[in-house]
Amino acid sequence: MSSTELPGVRAVTAAAAPKVAAVRVAEGEELRSVTLPGLTLNVRSRPPARSGLPHALYVHGLGGSSLNWSALMPLLADVVGGEALDLPGFGDSPPPDDGNYSLTGHARAVIRFLDAAGHGPVHLIGNSLGGAVSTRVAAVRPDLVRTLTLISPALPELRVQRSAVPTALLALPGVASLFTRLTKDWSAEQRTKGVLELCYGDPTRVTDEALRNAVEEMERRIQLPYFWDAMARSARGIVDAYTLGGQHGLWRQAERVLAPTLLVYGGRDQLVAYRMARKAAAAFRDSRLLTLPDAGHVAMMEYPDTVALAIRELLDNCGGS
């Protein structure tokens, strides 16, 4: 859910529209635009260290983008070829033609991308909203998912943490417009620091250069005419998914996932409760659990080395491909 990015990046122009400012890409990464019927997706990729490696697909959280994976992707480049999507309406991907920001809509976008890419089953890695989307993808299209890694997945909670309530309120009609008016005088730096305090277990771990890059990205995003609409509709999609029962319920779908699953939870997560780790470990039939007591909501950005090691172990245990 964070909009932070790594230091040492250079500006490039991606193909997706509309253009407000150049997006950023870390050294060794590539950006491309993938056009599907009714949908255009910006894709950030890191070529594999050698040919023949399996593919991994990274899916970001609410308000985030493919930039959220720039710390983790190079740490796995010798074992997987990495691609990270900007979900529709986020990062540099324009809104979907049908305006569908539901969890199913986002899952459908991921499925359509994977079907078009033809990579076969991938190692699917999702954070927050992306974790919920990835759970649904793995449940309904097991043929597309070799392993599943979920970092603070946005799965339904009976008792939502108080610190997560403002994010949930975005789902209510009119709240996004009200928040836009109330915060119109906030600087991009104020907004960015607020995101960091919410998403990081320890915001002081963010370097000055990384903060400057994050502020620059925030300035770009808030100029997008659809930014708040994408945020509000996607938040509403999460809330709606929480209320679904039966076979479409996320916990029921978690039980249907066949892929070996790595679950990562942070002890200082203010958006997804740490206590949900035990329930998730019980729900996914073939699961491994990594708990990071000092991590917040974006462990792959705070502790990329630790998360990468756990993913490597998951791949090793599953034959790697």
Side-chain angles (χ1 to χ4, degrees):
M1 295 179 65
S2 172
S3 63
T4 57
E5 55 186 281
L6 292 176
V9 295
R10 58 187 174 83
V12 300
T13 301
K19 284 284 176 252
V20 172
V23 296
R24 304 180 72 87
V25 60
E27 184 176 353
E29 292 180 348
E30 300 173 356
L31 290 183
R32 75 181 191 278
S33 181
V34 175
T35 301
L36 302 168
L39 189 68
T40 298
L41 297 173
N42 184 61
V43 182
R44 183 178 304 270
S45 62
R46 180 170 287 275
R50 62 184 186 277
S51 61
L53 290 178
H55 290 268
L57 182 67
Y58 302 83
V59 187
H60 64 80
L62 181 67
S65 75
S66 57
L67 283 165
N68 293 50
W69 302 104
S70 288
L72 183 63
M73 288 172 68
L75 301 179
L76 296 172
D78 62 322
V79 291
V80 294
E83 293 184 317
L85 291 179
D86 287 333
L87 289 172
F90 293 95
D92 213 36
S93 292
D97 287 358
D98 61 4
N100 186 350
Y101 289 103
S102 68
L103 196 70
T104 297
H106 285 311
R108 188 178 297 123
V110 172
I111 289 170
R112 290 176 63 190
F113 172 78
L114 289 174
D115 277 336
H119 292 323
V122 300
H123 299 288
L124 188 58
I125 303 168
N127 169 236
S128 191
L129 164 65
V133 168
S134 298
T135 297
R136 181 154 290 177
V137 172
V140 302
R141 288 293 304 274
D143 59 304
L144 294 177
V145 182
R146 178 68 184 90
T147 68
L148 181 65
T149 297
L150 305 176
I151 303 168
S152 295
L155 300 175
E157 300 181 36
L158 293 178
R159 288 189 297 115
V160 177
Q161 295 187 101
R162 183 176 300 177
S163 53
V165 169
T167 302
L169 287 176
L170 280 176
L172 297 177
V175 170
S177 297
L178 175 62
F179 186 76
T180 302
R181 293 195 299 272
L182 292 175
T183 62
K184 62 182 177 64
D185 296 326
W186 290 14
S187 68
E189 183 172 354
Q190 288 175 306
R191 295 173 189 269
T192 301
K193 287 183 175 179
V195 170
L196 295 177
E197 290 173 1
L198 184 64
C199 292
Y200 274 68
D202 180 8
T204 65
R205 292 174 61 89
V206 181
T207 66
D208 290 342
E209 185 175 6
L211 176 61
R212 288 194 298 272
N213 290 335
V215 171
E216 180 182 304
E217 172 63 10
M218 179 64 75
E219 290 173 338
R220 187 191 73 84
R221 291 187 189 184
I222 60 180
Q223 293 180 58
L224 294 171
Y226 52 80
F227 174 78
W228 282 113
D229 185 58
M231 286 284 290
R233 289 175 181 264
S234 294
R236 194 172 306 146
I238 296 174
V239 173
D240 288 346
Y242 276 25
T243 64
L244 285 177
Q247 64 178 346
H248 299 296
L250 281 170
W251 286 115
R252 181 68 64 83
Q253 291 191 320
E255 294 171 353
R256 290 166 49 193
V257 170
L258 300 177
T261 301
L262 170 65
L263 301 163
V264 182
Y265 281 81
R268 296 183 178 179
D269 195 331
Q270 299 182 65
L271 296 168
V272 171
Y274 192 54
R275 65 177 181 272
M276 300 304 294
R278 182 177 298 178
K279 180 173 182 177
F284 289 90
R285 65 180 70 188
D286 184 3
S287 67
R288 300 135 178 88
L289 177 62
L290 171 64
T291 58
L292 299 172
D294 294 325
H297 193 61
V298 287
M300 73 285 187
M301 301 174 74
E302 285 190 273
Y303 297 95
D305 293 295
T306 305
V307 173
L309 179 60
I311 294 175
R312 284 175 174 276
E313 292 174 351
L314 174 69
L315 269 57
D316 287 343
N317 292 336
C318 300
S321 62

